[in-house]
Amino acid sequence: MSTTQVSTSRTSTIVITGGTRGLGLGLARALVERGHQVVVCGTDPGRVRASGLPGIVADVADRDQLQALWEHAAGAYGRVDVWINNAGVSHPREPAWRLPADQVRHVVDVNLVGVLNGCAVAMAGMAAQGSGHVWNMEGLGTDGRLVPGLGVYGATKRAVGYLTDALAKEVPPGVGVGLLSPGMVVTDLLTHGYSEEERRRASRVLSILADRVETVAPWLADRVVDGARNGARVRWLTPGKIAWRFATARFTRRDPFTAP
């Protein structure tokens, strides 16, 4: 297993897929604030432009488009030090057998095939340049936790966890891979598909465990370069933090669905 660490003695070039909205955009902006060069991609040209960041339109399900993203970033900055497979989608909260085939395929294409494509492109490029690190995003299902109605999404994230562990034993010399676990972040990915009644029932747990992008993104940004070791797992919402939040919930008021 490689133990190479990305150098923190200089500005790093970082690519973030799905970096034009939600946590990806928040993370990109936090990394820029820390002096790094960030390149993003998204499927919506308007969002790519509105991000204010260097980037291109790219669909992670298409490996050639991710190769173009690599070449765009490496061409602009000479190399890519860190690649973050952040792009992800969910689906309506329905049993897997009720979901239309096109919705299932879209979730699998983005959440799993997209990560496979990103890893393949980034690791090949990093092997050629001699170093680099890939981060994959954890999500509901990575740890095996089950939520009815989110089976397909959870299955893709479970597969991403397995894939990342496998890649940690397969990486070329000088290259590392690891998992970023942002916890429950209030983006459209978390809140997607809630009816008003479901939101009301879930609000107590979410008010305890969920966090805003503005809280989580800077914390992750401090670690995606400094913590880039092969096999690393960077987790925001640790078991200890979860226990503490539940223990102190009666003394705090948190509403993740309301802007600060």
Side-chain angles (χ1 to χ4, degrees):
M1 181 181 292
S2 169
T3 58
T4 301
Q5 180 180 358
V6 174
S7 172
T8 60
S9 61
R10 58 177 173 78
T11 297
S12 294
T13 299
I14 301 169
V15 170
I16 305 177
T17 68
T20 64
R21 62 192 300 175
L23 180 61
L25 180 58
L27 181 55
R29 288 174 171 167
L31 286 164
V32 169
E33 290 174 357
R34 285 153 177 75
H36 298 294
Q37 296 157 164
V38 179
V39 178
V40 301
C41 79
T43 56
D44 184 331
R47 287 186 182 275
V48 173
R49 291 192 298 270
S51 72
L53 299 162
I56 67 171
V57 175
D59 183 347
V60 297
D62 186 324
R63 189 172 296 190
D64 290 340
Q65 292 186 35
L66 288 188
Q67 185 64 49
L69 176 62
W70 172 277
E71 292 169 2
H72 179 80
Y77 300 111
R79 59 181 286 119
V80 174
D81 300 291
V82 176
W83 179 289
I84 303 174
N85 286 311
N86 167 75
V89 296
S90 191
H91 54 77
R93 293 170 183 263
E94 292 282 351
W97 57 271
R98 287 183 179 170
L99 291 175
D102 60 340
Q103 289 183 348
V104 172
R105 175 60 63 90
H106 182 55
V107 173
V108 173
D109 280 350
V110 175
N111 293 4
L112 180 55
V113 177
V115 172
L116 280 162
N117 287 339
C119 289
V121 167
M123 288 183 177
M126 291 171 180
Q129 69 188 17
S131 65
H133 190 85
V134 177
W135 290 108
N136 296 329
M137 280 286 185
E138 284 194 335
L140 173 72
T142 307
D143 61 359
R145 186 163 57 94
L146 301 174
V147 174
L150 290 176
V152 174
Y153 175 85
T156 61
K157 286 300 184 179
R158 181 74 161 173
V160 166
Y162 182 95
L163 172 66
T164 305
D165 289 342
L167 287 171
K169 298 181 181 299
E170 300 174 352
V171 288
V175 180
V177 63
L179 285 165
L180 294 179
S181 180
M184 300 175 69
V185 183
V186 181
T187 66
D188 55 2
L189 194 64
L190 175 66
T191 61
H192 177 77
Y194 271 118
S195 68
E196 286 302 316
E197 176 62 20
E198 288 169 333
R199 181 177 293 189
R200 185 189 64 78
R201 291 200 304 265
S203 62
R204 180 179 181 275
V205 172
L206 290 174
S207 69
I208 295 170
L209 297 182
D211 293 283
R212 297 187 176 91
V213 169
E214 298 84 355
T215 300
V216 179
W219 187 90
L220 289 177
D222 287 335
R223 289 157 178 81
V224 296
V225 174
D226 291 347
R229 298 174 180 82
N230 191 40
R233 184 176 184 180
V234 173
R235 177 184 287 177
W236 161 256
L237 198 57
T238 62
K241 186 178 290 186
I242 292 171
W244 174 254
R245 287 190 178 184
F246 274 105
T248 59
R250 70 179 67 182
F251 308 111
T252 59
R253 296 179 64 86
R254 303 172 75 248
D255 183 359
F257 291 108
T258 303

